[in-house]
Amino acid sequence: MSTPLIRLEGIGRTYRNGELATTVLRDVNLDIQQGEFVAIMGTSGSGKSTLMNLLGCLDQPSTGRYLFNGEDIAQFGSDELARLRRKTFGFIFQSYHLIPSATATENVEVPAIYAGLPREQRHQRAQELLTELGLGERLNNRPSQLSGGQQQRVSIARALMNDAQVILADEPTGALDSQSGRDVLALLKQLHQRGKTVIVITHDRDVASHADRLIEIRDGQIIHDSGNPAPEQPAPATPVADEDHPASAALADTGEAVRMALRALKANLFRTVLTLLGIVIGVASVVVMLAVGNGARQEVLDRISSMGTNLLLVRPGAPNTRRSQDGSTNTLTVQDAEQAALVDNVVAAVPEMNGRVTVRSGNTDYQTQVTATSADLPIARDWPVASGVFINDEDDQRYAAVAVLGRTVATNLFGNADPIGEYVLMNNVPFQVIGIMSEKGAAPWGADQDDVVFVPLNTGSLRLIGQRYLNSITIMIDDLRQADATQEAVFQAILQSHAGVEDFQIRNMASLLENVAQTQNTFTVLLGSIAAISLLVGGIGVMNIMLVNVTERTRETGIRVATGARTSNILQQFIVEAVVVSAIGGALGVIGGLAFAGGLQFFGTAIQFTTGPVLLAFGCAFATGLIFGYMPAHKAAHLDPVVALSAD
C-alpha cells in the first residue's frame, strides 16, 4: 500500500478548563486512503465530531501524530493549516453554517476568495456548481429564503468550490427530511465516484450503510473498523488560483474586502447609522471648529494689517503701568512727534488727540469720536479720502474749523446726500465738511474705525477737546528691516525730550501682528483639540460596535476559518469594516461640516476654508477606524474555530 492520505497515530484530545481535564479521544489509530468513502459512527458524546475537527485541521491533538500525505501537521504554521483547509478539505456541516447576509452564490464563493481566484472566475464556478446541484433558480437567494435541503446543497457546493480532495460531512442529513437526506447521500456518492475522499460523521446506521467502510467510535476510542478500503483513485483536478499568484494575497483584492464589509454593515443598517453618527459629528466638529478658528484668526490679522504693519505706536504711560483716571501720566506733546519725525527711516509722525463730541446737522444729533491730527494721517494709516480733501498744514496753523467725516458719521448725519461743503455743529462750533474718508471697517478690538470725525490738531485742542497733551503718536517707517533700530532711535529721541523720564511706551505693529498670530494659532489648536475629543468618542463607539459585531458573527468567523481563511484574512476583514465605517462617516462629516460652516459664513461669521483641516479631519476618521478597529479584529482573528462554529 502507498502512503495513506490520512494517518492518525496514537491521537488523543483533552480539553482543560482550569484544573478540570476532559479527555474526548484516547489513543486513536487510523489510516484513510485517497478515494475512500468512510463513515465514522458513534452516539452523541462519543468523540466523533472532535475527530472530524482534528481531521479537518480545525483542532489540534493533545497527544499523538496526524500525518497528511506523510507530513506531520504539527509542523505546519497557521497559514499552512489554512492552506490545507482551503485546498484540501471541504466541510459539509449539519447546521449548514451559511453566512446569513450573503446570497447562495456569495456563500459558495467564500473559499475561492481566500484562494485568490479572480472574481469573475469564482462567480462563474459558483453558479455552475449551484446549477449542477439543482439550485440554478436560487442563485441570489439568501439562506433564510432556502429550505433545509437547499441550504445543505449550498453547503456542498461551497465544499466543492476549490475542488477539495477530502469531503468532511458532519451529520449531513441530521436536519433534513427523508427525501432531502436521500438526495444529499446520493450527492456524496456521486462525489466519491468522481474520486473524492468522503468522510461522513453520523450516528445513523442507515446513513453509515452508504459508505464503503464503517468505523465505530465509543468513549473516544475506535471499537470497530470494517477495514475495507477502496482502491486508491486519483482525484480529478479543477483549476484554482495558484497559491503564489499575487491575487492570493490576503483577501486578494481591496475591492472585494470593501464589498464584504459593506454587505456586513448593511445587514445591521440601523446600528451602522448610529456608529456613523458619532464619526460624522466628530469630523464635522473638527472641520467647523478649525474653519471658525482660522477665520477668526485671519479676520483679526487682516484688521491689524489694515492699520499698517510698518507703524510704531507711541502712547503715554510708563511700561507695565496703568494710566490714572485724570490722565496725569499723559505727557506726550506735539514736540515729541516733531522729534520723532526727524529720525532716519521715519516717513511721518502723526500726533493724535481724541475726545467725544456730539455732532449736529439740521435736526440730527450724533455722538461720535473726534480726532485732532495732522495732514499726514492718510499716509501713515494708509487711509485715503473717498471724496473731498483731507485737512492740511495751513488748516492747522490758522485754527480752521474744518472737518473730515468717517463713513459711519456721514451716513448717520446726511444719509445718501453729499455732505461736502455742508456745516455741522460740534460743541456749538460750526465746522465745514471738506472731505469723507473711505470705508475702513472694524478695528482689531472690534470698534468701528469709520465712526470718527477728523479736525486740525490745533483746532481740536482749543475748541473741542480742551487739552494740549496727545493721546498717541503714529509713526510710519520706511524700511521694515530697520524697524527695531528705528524704534530704538525714536525711543531715545522722545526720552531725551522728556528729560530721561520713561513715561511713554512704543509698540511695534509688526511684532504685535506676530504675537496676535501666535495667540490665534493657539486658540485654533484649542478649538481643534476640543473637536477632536468628539472624534475620539466616535472612535470608541466604532470599537464598541465592532466588538459587538465580532461577538454576533462568531459563527461566521468560524465558517471563514473552516473554508480556508488565514488569520490575516479575518484580521483584515474586520479592520476594513471599521475603516469603511469611519471613511463613510468621515466623508459625510466633511460634507456636513463644510455645509454648516458655509451657513455660519452666510450669517456673517468669519470662516476660512482650507484644505488642511478637511484632510486632517478625514485622515483622523480613517485613522480612528484603523486604530479602534484593530482590537476587535484581533479578537476575531484569534477565535478558536471549533468554539466559533459551535457559537449560537
Side-chain angles (χ1 to χ4, degrees):
M1 295 289 290
S2 61
T3 301
L5 182 67
I6 292 173
R7 168 165 285 176
L8 305 182
E9 298 178 350
I11 291 293
R13 184 68 174 100
T14 300
Y15 295 100
R16 297 187 178 277
N17 184 8
E19 296 183 357
L20 179 64
T22 304
T23 300
V24 181
L25 294 177
R26 299 178 178 84
D27 195 28
V28 174
N29 295 280
L30 177 65
D31 286 353
I32 297 176
Q33 300 291 336
Q34 182 172 298
E36 282 196 79
F37 189 167
V38 179
I40 299 176
M41 190 178 75
T43 59
S44 178
S46 62
K48 61 183 186 301
S49 294
T50 300
L51 181 58
M52 187 201 78
N53 292 331
L54 290 172
L55 291 173
C57 298
L58 292 174
D59 200 359
Q60 299 263 354
S62 302
T63 58
R65 289 202 310 162
Y66 174 11
L67 303 178
F68 187 86
N69 261 340
E71 294 186 76
D72 189 349
I73 67 164
Q75 307 302 318
F76 289 7
S78 60
D79 283 352
E80 291 175 299
L81 290 174
R83 182 180 184 276
L84 199 60
R85 290 191 295 267
R86 184 168 57 251
K87 302 270 288 186
T88 304
F89 295 108
F91 292 90
I92 302 172
F93 299 102
Q94 177 182 2
S95 300
Y96 323 129
H97 287 332
L98 302 179
I99 300 173
S101 61
T103 64
T105 302
E106 291 167 343
N107 268 286
V108 174
E109 288 180 2
V110 170
I113 291 174
Y114 300 120
L117 197 67
R119 187 165 185 261
E120 291 302 323
Q121 291 184 34
R122 69 171 181 261
H123 194 68
Q124 180 181 353
R125 176 163 171 75
Q127 291 185 339
E128 289 173 354
L129 286 170
L130 288 170
T131 302
E132 184 180 345
L133 294 174
L135 295 175
E137 297 180 355
R138 301 284 185 174
L139 300 177
N140 296 316
N141 286 56
R142 301 190 189 281
S144 60
Q145 299 169 317
L146 300 174
S147 67
Q150 291 170 334
Q151 290 186 60
Q152 192 64 290
R153 287 171 184 263
V154 173
S155 179
I156 294 172
R158 182 180 61 194
L160 298 174
M161 185 64 192
N162 286 348
D163 193 33
Q165 189 177 355
V166 180
I167 304 298
L168 291 167
D170 183 17
E171 300 283 5
T173 64
L176 302 178
D177 58 66
S178 299
Q179 183 57 48
S180 297
R182 286 192 292 270
D183 291 342
V184 167
L185 289 172
L187 285 172
L188 292 176
K189 281 191 172 183
Q190 290 178 20
L191 295 175
H192 173 239
Q193 291 168 2
R194 294 180 190 176
K196 306 294 184 187
T197 301
V198 180
I199 303 173
V200 176
I201 309 296
T202 184
H203 68 280
D204 190 334
R205 190 167 292 275
D206 288 337
V207 172
S209 65
H210 288 77
D212 297 326
R213 178 182 177 188
L214 174 62
I215 298 171
E216 293 186 64
I217 187 170
R218 181 188 300 164
D219 297 329
Q221 294 180 305
I222 294 176
I223 61 171
H224 172 73
D225 185 347
S226 65
N228 184 28
E232 185 176 346
Q233 303 177 42
T238 301
V240 294
D242 184 355
E243 193 68 21
D244 297 325
H245 191 276
S248 66
L251 275 186
D253 110 41
T254 303
E256 181 60 38
V258 172
R259 279 190 291 271
M260 292 169 65
L262 290 173
R263 187 175 66 218
L265 295 172
K266 185 179 178 182
N268 291 286
L269 190 59
F270 184 68
R271 189 170 64 197
T272 301
V273 170
L274 292 178
T275 308
L276 282 175
L277 190 60
I279 298 295
V280 169
I281 293 174
V283 172
S285 298
V286 172
V287 171
V288 172
M289 291 284 198
L290 291 180
V292 170
N294 287 334
R297 177 176 63 87
Q298 192 59 47
E299 184 179 36
V300 171
L301 295 181
D302 288 344
R303 289 178 180 179
I304 294 177
S305 297
S306 69
M307 298 177 64
T309 57
N310 58 339
L311 299 180
L312 301 177
L313 298 181
V314 185
R315 297 188 180 277
N320 302 318
T321 60
R322 302 190 67 174
R323 186 177 172 185
S324 61
Q325 292 293 327
D326 60 4
S328 60
T329 60
N330 191 344
T331 59
L332 288 179
T333 64
V334 176
Q335 288 71 28
D336 294 331
E338 292 172 350
Q339 289 293 324
L342 298 176
V343 174
D344 290 339
N345 198 40
V346 172
V347 177
V350 180
E352 295 183 34
M353 190 181 297
N354 303 317
R356 299 296 297 178
V357 68
T358 299
V359 186
R360 173 176 292 180
S361 174
N363 295 324
T364 303
D365 288 349
Y366 184 73
Q367 191 173 55
T368 185
Q369 174 179 288
V370 62
T371 297
T373 186
S374 68
D376 290 331
L377 183 137
I379 299 173
R381 292 278 195 88
D382 190 23
W383 193 352
V385 175
S387 62
V389 296
F390 198 74
I391 55 180
N392 55 38
D393 291 336
E394 184 181 349
D395 294 329
D396 188 44
Q397 293 170 6
R398 63 186 181 89
Y399 294 81
V402 293
V404 179
L405 307 183
R407 178 68 65 183
T408 300
V409 178
T411 301
N412 279 281
L413 291 178
F414 297 96
N416 295 324
D418 183 8
I420 303 298
E422 300 292 335
Y423 283 86
V424 295
L425 288 177
M426 290 187 284
N427 288 358
N428 294 320
V429 178
F431 281 76
Q432 186 179 24
V433 178
I434 60 172
I436 304 296
M437 301 299 291
S438 58
E439 188 171 353
K440 191 71 169 175
W445 51 88
D448 183 3
Q449 296 185 83
D450 299 311
D451 192 4
V452 65
V453 176
F454 294 105
V455 298
L457 182 64
N458 289 329
T459 308
S461 174
L462 180 64
R463 297 191 174 188
L464 298 178
I465 303 173
Q467 69 179 43
R468 63 188 182 89
Y469 290 109
L470 303 179
N471 292 96
S472 64
I473 301 173
T474 302
I475 300 173
M476 180 182 182
I477 62 178
D478 183 20
D479 188 355
L480 273 176
R481 292 172 297 181
Q482 303 179 34
D484 291 338
T486 304
Q487 179 177 341
E488 179 61 25
V490 169
F491 174 79
Q492 293 298 333
I494 299 177
L495 185 64
Q496 184 177 1
S497 68
H498 285 221
V501 179
E502 189 180 350
D503 53 2
F504 62 94
Q505 48 191 316
I506 302 178
R507 290 185 180 178
N508 187 328
M509 289 296 290
S511 299
L512 177 63
L513 186 65
E514 182 179 343
N515 292 335
V516 170
Q518 292 176 353
T519 302
Q520 290 296 115
N521 285 337
T522 302
F523 175 69
T524 302
V525 170
L526 176 62
L527 289 178
S529 300
I530 294 172
I533 293 174
S534 60
L535 188 57
L536 177 64
V537 172
I540 294 173
V542 170
M543 182 171 65
N544 287 337
I545 293 302
M546 290 308 300
L547 284 171
V548 172
N549 244 352
V550 168
T551 303
E552 289 186 347
R553 292 162 56 194
T554 299
R555 180 179 291 184
E556 177 188 330
T557 302
I559 294 169
R560 294 185 182 279
V561 171
T563 53
R566 309 169 186 83
T567 299
S568 59
N569 295 141
I570 303 300
L571 186 69
Q572 184 182 15
Q573 177 190 341
F574 283 95
I575 286 179
V576 166
E577 288 185 22
V579 168
V580 166
V581 169
S582 299
I584 294 174
L588 294 176
V590 167
I591 295 171
L594 291 176
F596 189 79
L600 292 177
Q601 187 177 44
F602 178 79
F603 288 105
T605 302
I607 297 292
Q608 185 180 43
F609 294 106
T610 55
T611 306
V614 173
L615 294 178
L616 175 65
F618 185 81
C620 287
F622 193 86
T624 295
L626 197 62
I627 294 170
F628 286 95
Y630 178 78
M631 185 183 295
H634 184 270
K635 177 183 177 182
H638 291 84
L639 286 172
D640 185 325
V642 175
V643 175
L645 284 169
S646 61
D648 294 331

